Amino acid sequence: MTAQPYASLASIYRYPVKGLTPEPLTDVALAPGQPLPADRRYAIENGPIGFDPAAPQYFPKTQFLMLMRNERLAALRSRYDDASHTLTIQRDGNEVARADLQSAEGRASIEAYFAANFADELRGPPKVLFAEGHSFSDVPRKVVSIINLASVADLEKTIGQPVHPLRFRGNLHVSGWAAWQEFELLERTLKIGDVRLKVVKRIVRCAATNVDPDTAARDLTIPKTLQQTYGHADCGVYAEVITGGRIAAGDRIEVEA
């Protein structure tokens, strides 16, 4: 498969609270060795795990409320405001929670909502976790996740019904690559304006992708379909930012030689 000379950045998303609503961005500043600003900045602990905000460490996603096991999260619509640190949660168009996540009282309010509404799915008291500079990513490395829209479209043909790209909860959606071309880019460098990102890892998909991001229905078997059709359960890649700068939707993406 021959690489095209360039592609484009179709859209940008961040996920301020792990497991909750993606937020579209028109542009964003990336810093070397860091994820998108505020991406997975918070997580909701599902029972005590011993997380220490003074010395934050990676924990697997199974320790938190997340779509792989808690698909009802997709029925919530959340929004995070950076300036006020306020998280707003809606359900069926009605506001059900609003709080400042940087205050103890605010975190307690959000915790109370999940304790009351997700009781059957909790292993212990839910707790909003945060540590300065920490990202609750699915992997230990600080990365940006990239989804090739052509790969999603190819999977869509295989399944025979629409597959929303947001099922894959990526940060950068790319148009212009051939289907599955992202897997040829491991250890290659992507150029987006002044920004350079090194592709470091394929993304192995879990049952979270089976959940429709609009309806919260667990209506597909994407990892199984990937494995049966393509011989792997991967879709998308992780990349590390090696040169920072600002990127915007519509920017040209090139693969450096």
Side-chain angles (χ1 to χ4, degrees):
M1 193 180 298
T2 303
Q4 297 180 12
Y6 69 90
S8 64
L9 182 55
S11 48
I12 306 169
Y13 293 91
R14 70 171 188 175
Y15 300 78
V17 181
K18 189 177 185 68
L20 297 187
T21 308
E23 296 184 358
L25 303 173
T26 56
D27 59 272
V28 68
L30 298 180
Q34 297 297 320
L36 261 69
D39 190 56
R40 278 82 171 184
R41 187 178 192 189
Y42 302 93
I44 303 165
E45 182 184 60
N46 189 358
I49 61 174
F51 180 79
D52 181 2
Q57 294 183 341
Y58 164 79
F59 284 89
K61 59 189 171 186
T62 52
Q63 303 299 318
F64 310 106
L65 286 178
M66 44 85 186
L67 287 171
M68 186 175 77
R69 293 180 179 173
N70 315 111
E71 66 266 24
R72 290 195 302 124
L73 292 172
L76 304 177
R77 295 293 176 265
S78 63
R79 185 72 185 171
Y80 179 72
D81 179 71
D82 293 285
S84 65
H85 312 294
T86 298
L87 177 70
T88 304
I89 302 176
Q90 293 185 332
R91 175 69 196 264
D92 298 326
N94 300 310
E95 185 175 303
V96 294
R98 178 191 290 262
D100 176 0
L101 295 186
Q102 290 294 293
S103 74
E105 297 81 1
R107 292 191 295 273
S109 174
I110 298 298
E111 291 160 3
Y113 171 78
F114 284 100
N117 291 276
F118 286 76
D120 293 343
E121 300 170 55
L122 295 172
R123 298 188 294 266
K127 184 177 181 181
V128 177
L129 301 183
F130 163 81
E132 192 65 48
H134 184 70
S135 175
F136 293 93
S137 173
D138 285 351
V139 294
R141 301 167 82 164
K142 291 187 176 182
V143 290
V144 172
S145 55
I146 300 174
I147 302 301
N148 179 0
L149 294 179
S151 299
V152 178
D154 192 62
L155 178 61
E156 199 171 61
K157 290 179 185 176
T158 297
I159 293 174
Q161 66 184 76
V163 176
H164 201 308
L166 288 179
R167 285 180 184 262
F168 302 94
R169 297 180 70 81
N171 296 130
L172 309 181
H173 289 185
V174 176
S175 61
W177 286 342
W180 313 110
Q181 184 180 322
E182 65 270 33
F183 297 153
E184 299 179 0
L185 303 178
L186 289 176
E187 302 303 317
R188 302 287 296 277
T189 299
L190 306 180
K191 176 181 180 291
I192 311 177
D194 294 329
V195 172
R196 301 292 187 278
L197 304 100
K198 182 179 180 180
V199 180
V200 295
K201 191 178 188 298
R202 291 163 63 141
I203 303 176
V204 181
R205 292 302 169 181
C206 69
T209 56
N210 295 336
V211 179
D212 187 300
D214 291 325
T215 67
R218 193 178 292 273
D219 58 354
L220 295 178
T221 56
I222 284 180
K224 181 179 179 181
T225 302
L226 284 167
Q227 190 66 55
Q228 291 178 339
T229 306
Y230 305 101
H232 60 75
D234 305 344
C235 185
V237 291
Y238 288 121
E240 292 181 337
V241 180
I242 54 178
T243 303
R246 184 166 291 276
I247 60 174
D251 281 353
R252 174 171 168 153
I253 301 174
E254 298 178 76
V255 180
E256 293 195 330

